[in-house]
Amino acid sequence: HAPKDPGELQEYIVRAIPEVGPATAKAMIKQYGTLRAVLSASAKELPQVEGIGQKKAKKIVEFLDGKFDK
């Protein structure tokens, strides 16, 4: 069940991304400041976040850019 607190809800949304756990979600939000900035970060920018390497960044971006196929 989704949290009601805006900050917790942002973290909850980021944690839903494959390859992103709680610590990485917090680091991403801290690094980028807003949910929009987190979701807009490029594969080149994401490795600036602790816990995200090049492979993980690529997988995250591929997921976010994937077409909805249903």
Side-chain angles (χ1 to χ4, degrees), residues 31-32 37-38 40-49 52 54 57 61:
Q31 174 82 23
Y32 295 108
V38 168
S40 297
S42 70
K44 205 177 226 183
E45 295 167 326
L46 284 171
Q48 297 171 8
V49 177
I52 299 181
Q54 302 244 317
V61 171

Side-chain angles (χ1 to χ4, degrees), residues 21-44:
T24 303
K26 284 181 183 183
M28 291 170 80
I29 293 167
K30 186 177 179 182
Q31 174 82 23
Y32 295 108
T34 67
L35 186 56
R36 184 179 306 277
V38 168
L39 299 177
S40 297
S42 70
K44 205 177 226 183

